[in-house]
Amino acid sequence: MMTKIFIINGGQKFGHSGGRFNETISNETLNFFKENSDFEIKTTNINEDYDPASEVKKFVWADVIIYHTPIWWFQLPHGFKKYIDVVFTEGHAKGIYKSDGRSSENPTINYGTGGMLHGKKYMVTTSWNAPKEAFTLPGEFFDQHSVDEGPLFGFHRMNAFTGMESLQSIHFHDIEKNADVANDIKSYHKHLTKLFLN
């Protein structure tokens, strides 16, 4: 049984960013799954034109969605955020979500249970100028909140709202001032092997 993988490159060419790191990581993902015949792959690059209805079909088709994104100003870059807004809205009652899950009889409970992507999983990679110590050391900028519990909390709830379950994410730090891309790629291969081949 082949596992269907949908890879989204949310890296963006804008300002001083050429989107190169996320392009590299997206290509590593593609090559990793291509080398193994147990996987079927579809891809999207948010910098290219996309048709929202076709993108919804990719989410519905996939077993696993892999998001690649830089973090700009502690959030998703605007091109990727727009992609999510447009595609998820298009996916209302067409496979992504049917409602917010509540009923008019009891509107205070079951919020976030109206997703249509149950049984599917997602994984996210992020890239940061911030060093990892900014998240872990007392007194440093993120007050010891991890990427997943801090800046990405809303992103994870968004995916939970659709019914998807999270696979362990991986975050790449210090990409601007102190990059070690070869080492990042090595850790990433280990990460993918652990999640998908073991």
Side-chain angles (χ1 to χ4, degrees):
M1 183 71 177
M2 284 172 90
T3 303
K4 299 177 185 131
I5 308 281
F6 176 28
I7 303 163
I8 302 172
N9 176 4
Q12 195 174 335
K13 298 171 176 69
F14 176 79
H16 61 271
S17 167
R20 282 191 312 279
F21 183 79
N22 281 278
E23 203 157 301
T24 301
I25 291 294
S26 297
N27 287 335
E28 289 297 325
T29 309
L30 183 62
N31 294 333
F32 176 87
F33 289 113
K34 263 188 182 164
E35 279 164 23
N36 188 314
S37 60
D38 293 341
F39 299 98
E40 226 180 310
I41 309 149
K42 289 184 195 264
T43 62
T44 289
N45 179 337
I46 63 100
N47 294 284
E48 294 162 7
D49 287 340
Y50 51 83
D51 167 54
S54 307
E55 296 304 303
V56 170
K57 286 182 182 140
K58 291 181 191 175
F59 276 89
V60 172
W61 167 86
D63 299 309
V64 180
I65 286 93
I66 298 180
Y67 299 103
H68 297 297
T69 184
I71 298 294
W72 291 2
W73 292 107
F74 317 114
Q75 300 173 59
L76 301 183
H78 59 272
F80 184 28
K81 178 63 168 75
K82 181 184 177 187
Y83 171 88
I84 298 273
D85 290 347
V86 168
V87 173
F88 281 33
T89 301
E90 177 68 27
H92 178 234
K94 293 180 191 150
I96 292 185
Y97 74 103
K98 57 180 179 293
S99 70
D100 69 8
R102 298 180 296 162
S103 70
S104 45
E105 293 74 60
N106 199 344
T108 58
I109 58 162
N110 294 325
Y111 177 80
T113 58
M116 297 173 81
L117 295 176
H118 291 275
K120 297 174 187 293
K121 294 184 164 63
Y122 73 95
M123 186 193 100
V124 59
T125 75
T126 64
S127 54
W128 292 79
N129 171 46
K132 64 178 184 296
E133 293 76 11
F135 297 89
T136 58
L137 294 180
E140 284 296 310
F141 188 76
F142 289 99
D143 291 332
Q144 293 175 283
H145 288 85
S146 71
V147 174
D148 292 294
E149 292 160 342
L152 276 197
F153 181 79
F155 182 83
H156 286 301
R157 295 327 294 154
M158 169 196 90
N159 283 285
F161 190 96
T162 71
M164 287 196 278
E165 267 174 66
S166 173
L167 294 168
Q168 189 189 353
S169 27
I170 183 168
H171 309 296
F172 302 104
H173 294 281
D174 225 348
I175 295 301
E176 301 226 351
K177 288 205 172 64
N178 197 15
D180 183 351
V181 176
N183 201 43
D184 284 341
I185 286 170
K186 213 155 75 184
S187 327
Y188 185 48
H189 272 256
K190 272 191 199 143
H191 183 80
L192 289 176
T193 302
K194 185 178 90 180
L195 288 185
F196 295 100
L197 300 183
N198 291 347

